[in-house]
């Protein structure tokens, strides 16, 4: 299971460019007012809330997967096959080659339109508590990166393991958004560049293919 945690962490890191595109506006907004120490508290609180939501999703996915394994008799290895396929699709998505995951994001937008209004009541963000609540809400933003990683949590076999996988993923996304919050423009430009996205995407594809090969080899 340690390998699954490491994999989730690396997925979060590799998806840095996508994270900036999806959450960059909010992260930048947190550092436009107040002194530097207050800005850092708001940025950390926002990301803590966001990661808390991911961890909750992971627990739900892990519990659902465990029910499927115990009640329906689905093999864990088949769930890992599904997870590997989603990582390949995620790599194609991040590398800007094939955008099939946008259809899954679109499905999530139906729920998001009911959740998003709660975020508007927290703006503008004046303190760390508001930032934390905004992060919790923003964790529900439809995101192919999150949905793909959730398939790993689904194959974890338990709520606790699923939660840990999504916690590791959330930690992996943290550096890029903290860099954005500290306004290190040169690093932000690098992470947001098409070349970085291409390299990250193809690394994810390679890892997905490797994981798929391992899972299928154990099944057959």
């Amino acid at each position: 299971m340690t390998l699954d945690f490491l994999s989730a962490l690396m997925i979060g890191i590799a998806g840095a460019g996508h994270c900036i595109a999806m959450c960059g506006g909010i992260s930048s907004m947190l550092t436009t007012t107040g002194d530097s120490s207050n800005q850092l508290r708001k940025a950390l609180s926002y990301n803590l809330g966001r990661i808390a939501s991911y961890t909750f999703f992971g627990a739900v996915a892990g519990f659902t997967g465990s029910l499927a394994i115990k009640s329906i008799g689905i093999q864990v290895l088949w769930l890992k096959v599904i997870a590997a396929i989603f990582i390949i699709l995620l790599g194609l998505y991040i590398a800007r080659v094939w955008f099939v995951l946008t259809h899954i994001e679109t499905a999530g937008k139906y729920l998001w339109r009911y959740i998003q209004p709660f975020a508007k009541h927290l703006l503008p963000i004046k303190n760390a508590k508001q930032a934390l609540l905004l992060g919790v809400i923003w964790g529900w933003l439809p995101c192919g990166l999150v949905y793909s990683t959730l398939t790993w949590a689904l194959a974890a076999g338990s709520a606790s393991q699923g939660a840990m996988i999504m916690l590791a993923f959330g930690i992996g996304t943290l550096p890029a958004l903290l860099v954005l919050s500290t306004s290190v423009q040169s690093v932000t430009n690098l992470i947001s560049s098409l070349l970085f996205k291409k390299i990250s995407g193809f690394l994810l594809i390679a890892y997905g293919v490797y994981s798929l090969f391992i899972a299928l080899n154990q099944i057959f």
Side-chain angles (χ1 to χ4, degrees), residues 27-156:
S27 295
S28 297
M29 182 184 65
L30 295 173
T31 57
T32 56
T33 58
D35 56 42
S36 58
S37 61
N38 188 43
Q39 291 173 1
L40 181 59
R41 283 196 297 271
K42 289 192 294 183
L44 290 173
S45 297
Y46 163 76
N47 284 290
L48 177 61
R50 183 177 57 84
I51 293 172
S53 285
Y54 297 160
T55 305
F56 170 75
F57 300 154
V60 173
F63 178 70
T64 302
S66 67
L67 287 181
I69 294 167
K70 296 174 182 177
S71 302
I72 307 176
I74 296 177
Q75 293 184 40
V76 173
L77 287 173
W78 281 113
L79 293 177
K80 289 187 178 294
V81 166
I82 294 172
I85 291 173
F86 265 86
I87 294 304
I88 294 171
L89 295 177
L90 175 62
L92 293 169
Y93 178 48
I94 289 178
R96 322 305 290 170
V97 174
W98 193 28
F99 301 93
V100 66
L101 286 186
T102 56
H103 299 298
I104 299 176
E105 287 183 349
T106 299
K109 288 178 181 178
Y110 291 108
L111 177 61
W112 176 241
R113 67 183 179 182
Y114 295 106
I115 297 174
Q116 186 180 21
F118 292 102
K120 294 180 180 179
H121 295 300
L122 295 170
L123 301 176
I125 300 298
K126 298 178 181 179
N127 53 57
K129 181 180 178 180
Q130 285 180 302
L132 176 68
L133 293 174
L134 182 65
V136 170
I137 294 172
W138 217 256
W140 292 77
L141 180 73
C143 175
L145 186 64
V146 174
Y147 296 161
S148 297
T149 314
L150 276 173
T151 59
W152 282 97
L154 188 68

Side-chain angles (χ1 to χ4, degrees), residues 10-11 13-17 87 90-97 190-208:
M10 296 308 297
I11 291 169
I13 294 172
I87 294 304
L90 175 62
L92 293 169
Y93 178 48
I94 289 178
R96 322 305 290 170
V97 174
L190 172 63
I191 295 173
S192 302
S193 68
L194 181 60
L195 178 60
F196 183 88
K197 291 177 181 178
K198 291 283 187 183
I199 293 173
S200 300
F202 284 115
L203 285 174
L204 284 174
I205 292 169
Y207 180 71

